[in-house]
Amino acid sequence: MPPDPLAQPSRPPSTRVLMADPEHFDVTYVINPHMAGHVGTVDRDLARAQWEALRQVYLQLGLQVDVLPAVPGFPDLVFVANQTFPTQPRQGPPAVILSHMHAAERRGEVPIVARWFREQGWQLLDVPEQPRDGIMGSHFEGMGDANWHPGRRLVYGGYGWRTARRAYEDRLHLIDAEVVTLELQDVRLYHLDTCVSPLDEHTALICDAAFSERGLAALSACFPRLIRAPVDEAMELLAVNGHCPDGKHFVVQRGAVRTVALVREAGFEVIEVDTSEFLKSGGSVQCMKLMLD
């Protein structure tokens, strides 16, 4: 059985969010099924407008928004959830655990994001590549695959497509919290943030198709209330890649009608945004932000 989330130490809510400037966003390669057929099709002016609209939502919700400058040659840098995992050690300044990206095309993003954090006074934590059982290293894609339980020192860790299960074993001493690992079953939901969105301490939005029965049982044990998004909206609109930054408001891609109705019925205020250009690369709201705990 997974640990009881409410028995874990508390964590204060985040009031800052990091976004990455979309100036160089594009689809220039294919590393997930959503990218197929979209190489060279991004409307950059529209993408800029969509990104700015999302930034304004966070500002209107009272969050401080920091912006990471764009860097030529890194079109996916805008998905700033993936390159690090922010944490707060029990002693010392806040820290980020650096990712080891699965796709070679994205590995150069990590030093860019790490430099920004270093300049902001954060500790940089890393796990050197070490062979185990003849295999070198373990991929880890930050908050794309790892997420905190709202208000608690408990982490959900997805693995299977972009992050290796052993990545959590290797980083447990840095995370300094219990980790509930969840194997991802469908490559179209390749990151945990495409199939689990914690809304508050008791509620999460999920897509059943991403998980085995064991994974679903673990989620049911940790969240008394699970909202199940329709599979088509989760796959086509990345509806579960929406984000609830404050336990009250759920920010999600426009048009996920049934998902929106379910979340509203559960008592949350829904804010719909348009991230259609970013969907072409397999990302939406959760991918485009990093909460600075």
Side-chain angles (χ1 to χ4, degrees):
M1 287 290 293
D4 177 4
L6 300 186
Q8 307 309 307
S10 63
R11 293 174 53 253
S14 301
T15 58
R16 293 174 63 195
V17 60
L18 179 65
M19 297 180 67
D21 189 285
E23 180 179 355
H24 302 296
F25 170 64
D26 202 352
V27 180
T28 61
Y29 45 74
V30 176
I31 59 172
N32 69 58
H34 301 273
M35 290 174 147
H38 293 300
V39 171
T41 68
V42 169
D43 181 331
R44 290 192 179 180
D45 290 337
L46 180 56
R48 164 70 68 180
Q50 292 175 352
W51 180 91
E52 179 59 33
L54 178 59
R55 187 179 78 91
Q56 288 299 321
V57 166
Y58 284 122
L59 290 172
Q60 291 163 11
L61 291 176
L63 279 73
Q64 175 183 329
V65 180
D66 294 85
V67 177
L68 177 76
V71 177
F74 294 98
D76 279 342
L77 184 63
V78 71
F79 299 121
V80 75
N82 302 156
Q83 304 89 356
T84 61
F85 180 80
T87 185
Q88 175 60 64
R90 297 177 192 270
Q91 294 182 340
V96 288
I97 303 171
L98 302 182
S99 295
H100 288 208
M101 305 298 287
H102 182 271
E105 293 88 343
R106 299 197 62 189
R107 290 173 191 159
E109 298 170 13
V110 177
I112 296 168
V113 180
R115 182 169 59 249
W116 184 88
F117 275 105
R118 184 169 55 246
E119 291 171 352
Q120 300 294 315
W122 290 57
Q123 297 182 69
L124 304 182
L125 307 178
D126 197 8
V127 175
E129 294 284 329
Q130 296 289 341
R132 185 191 298 176
D133 299 327
I135 300 174
M136 177 63 75
S138 60
H139 297 126
F140 173 67
E141 296 210 347
M143 292 204 78
D145 268 326
N147 203 348
W148 293 100
H149 189 97
R152 299 289 172 173
R153 288 195 67 84
L154 176 68
V155 170
Y156 300 96
Y159 70 93
W161 301 109
R162 297 294 191 84
T163 294
R165 182 172 186 174
R166 89 171 234 206
Y168 300 104
E169 300 171 12
D170 293 346
R171 291 162 177 81
L172 194 59
H173 64 293
L174 301 179
I175 295 172
D176 191 23
E178 296 275 3
V179 178
V180 177
T181 55
L182 299 163
E183 184 176 10
L184 304 183
Q185 304 282 305
D186 193 311
V187 71
R188 292 168 294 179
L189 302 172
Y190 58 92
H191 270 157
L192 188 70
D193 67 9
T194 66
C195 47
V196 174
S197 185
L199 303 182
D200 63 21
E201 282 194 338
H202 307 285
T203 313
L205 174 68
I206 70 169
C207 179
D208 282 8
F211 302 103
S212 65
E213 291 185 8
R214 181 177 180 181
L216 290 173
L219 288 167
S220 295
C222 292
F223 291 97
R225 182 168 59 170
L226 290 178
I227 303 171
R228 290 172 159 84
V231 173
D232 59 335
E233 292 185 350
M235 300 285 190
E236 297 167 15
L237 296 173
L238 293 184
V240 186
N241 198 244
H243 177 223
C244 186
D246 58 4
K248 301 175 182 178
H249 300 86
F250 182 61
V251 188
V252 66
Q253 166 63 32
R254 182 179 302 152
V257 176
R258 287 166 291 161
T259 301
V260 165
L262 290 169
V263 173
R264 282 183 173 147
E265 184 179 343
F268 297 89
E269 183 175 338
V270 177
I271 301 172
E272 295 186 75
V273 295
D274 185 6
T275 63
S276 57
E277 292 305 295
F278 299 94
L279 292 180
K280 295 176 180 178
S281 197
S284 187
V285 178
Q286 275 204 69
C287 300
M288 295 166 65
K289 63 88 194 80
L290 184 70
M291 299 307 292
L292 300 178
D293 295 327

